[in-house]
Amino acid sequence: MWLVMNDIALGVLCCVLLLWNIQPVLDLIESFYWFLDTTLLRNMLLWLMGWPAGLKLNDNLDRFFGSLLLYYIDKWNLVAQACSVYGPVIMRVVALSGVCGVSMLLALLHDMFCLLTLHLTCFYIASARFYMLQLHLLSSMWSLFRGKKYNPLKKRIDSSTFDLDQLLLGAVVFTLAVFLFPTTMIYYYFFALVRAGTVSIGAVCELLLELLNHFPLYGLVIYLTRPDLLPGGVKFTVQRHHRVSRPPSL
């Protein structure tokens, strides 16, 4: 009950502060979003479309990845600009949710952050799928050159025989996959780092929620004000036993 009352009190305080400062908070969110989406993400993609850190990537695949990602970033920015008109209304709803507690407010803020970075999550999933597909292709072609093949029924790699045409086709596919793999790997690692950053911010919000829901505030206040009310262990005191003389019985 003590935690609930403190949660509601902090939520009402945050509600009042947000209602008084809606426009500065919206400006802060907008500046952070444009920094993440334009200054950081777009500039990094343009850097990757060149020779990042002196690495010579496949030009055609590099331009295809970069142009496709920049196209979807522009489309996502159009959606974000269309939704920014309703920013004050959304912030008022989020601020009024503080009446239900600061934990409710933090949960809504975390959900809003996940929605703002939804396109980054989609980019990471797409790059991870393509990266794993190429790894599986390279593993299959390497098994082909060793005269082995994956058996899906027994779920193991067994020996097998291949024709000359199959070996030639495997050599061509393996060569293409090897030369295209560094480009895919660079884009996957980049979006993996971006995804790790967004997940870290979400983890901080979840940590604050757990701290608010399980912080022993009442016990800490009692410990600071009335420590004698808390059990402090068991103490044994040795006392001398005095023999009491009894009157003689009749």
Side-chain angles (χ1 to χ4, degrees):
M1 187 63 184
W2 185 271
L3 287 176
V4 173
M5 295 301 296
N6 283 276
D7 191 13
I8 294 176
L10 290 175
V12 171
L13 179 62
C14 293
C15 173
V16 173
L17 291 177
L18 285 177
L19 289 177
W20 284 353
N21 302 280
I22 288 182
Q23 194 58 43
V25 172
L26 286 176
D27 294 339
L28 181 62
I29 294 175
E30 184 178 1
S31 61
F32 171 75
Y33 174 77
W34 289 111
F35 168 77
L36 178 66
D37 201 59
T38 303
T39 306
L40 181 62
L41 186 60
R42 187 180 294 273
N43 291 340
M44 287 299 297
L45 286 176
L46 292 175
W47 179 66
L48 289 177
M49 291 175 68
W51 286 6
L55 297 175
K56 182 174 176 54
L57 305 179
N58 185 272
D59 293 334
N60 295 325
L61 184 61
D62 193 11
R63 286 196 299 268
F64 171 74
F65 279 162
S67 302
L68 185 65
L69 292 171
L70 290 175
Y71 171 78
Y72 282 109
I73 288 174
D74 292 336
K75 295 301 181 182
W76 181 262
N77 289 336
L78 292 177
V79 176
Q81 288 178 359
C83 295
S84 63
V85 181
Y86 306 98
V89 179
I90 296 174
M91 284 305 301
R92 286 189 179 90
V93 173
V94 173
L96 291 176
S97 67
V99 179
C100 299
V102 70
S103 58
M104 181 71 177
L105 182 62
L106 283 175
L108 285 179
L109 290 176
H110 178 256
D111 293 339
M112 287 180 58
F113 177 77
C114 292
L115 288 176
L116 287 176
T117 58
L118 181 61
H119 61 302
L120 300 179
T121 305
C122 294
F123 292 160
Y124 167 73
I125 293 174
S127 61
R129 291 291 179 87
F130 199 69
Y131 177 74
M132 293 304 297
L133 179 64
Q134 279 199 322
L135 279 181
H136 182 69
L137 180 62
L138 289 173
S139 176
S140 299
M141 293 301 102
W142 180 250
S143 299
L144 174 68
F145 294 148
R146 294 184 298 140
K148 296 182 181 296
K149 181 181 179 181
Y150 179 73
N151 191 344
L153 297 178
K154 297 182 180 180
K155 296 181 179 180
R156 66 182 186 185
I157 297 178
D158 296 332
S159 299
S160 180
T161 56
F162 300 98
D163 299 334
L164 181 61
D165 297 337
Q166 293 175 334
L167 292 175
L168 290 176
L169 180 61
V172 173
V173 174
F174 181 78
T175 304
L176 291 175
V178 165
F179 283 103
L180 295 179
F181 183 72
T183 306
T184 307
M185 181 181 64
I186 290 297
Y187 277 89
Y188 167 70
Y189 284 162
F190 169 68
F191 283 109
L193 290 175
V194 174
R195 176 63 178 168
T198 56
V199 169
S200 300
I201 296 176
V204 171
C205 294
E206 293 181 1
L207 181 63
L208 290 176
L209 284 174
E210 293 294 328
L211 186 64
L212 288 171
N213 293 328
H214 299 91
F215 187 73
L217 183 60
Y218 179 75
L220 183 62
V221 171
I222 293 298
Y223 178 77
L224 294 175
T225 56
R226 295 290 303 277
D228 55 310
L229 298 179
L230 297 176
V234 180
K235 295 182 180 179
F236 294 95
T237 303
V238 180
Q239 296 182 355
R240 290 186 177 183
H241 177 68
H242 299 281
R243 180 176 293 180
V244 180
S245 61
R246 298 182 179 179
S249 60
L250 298 178

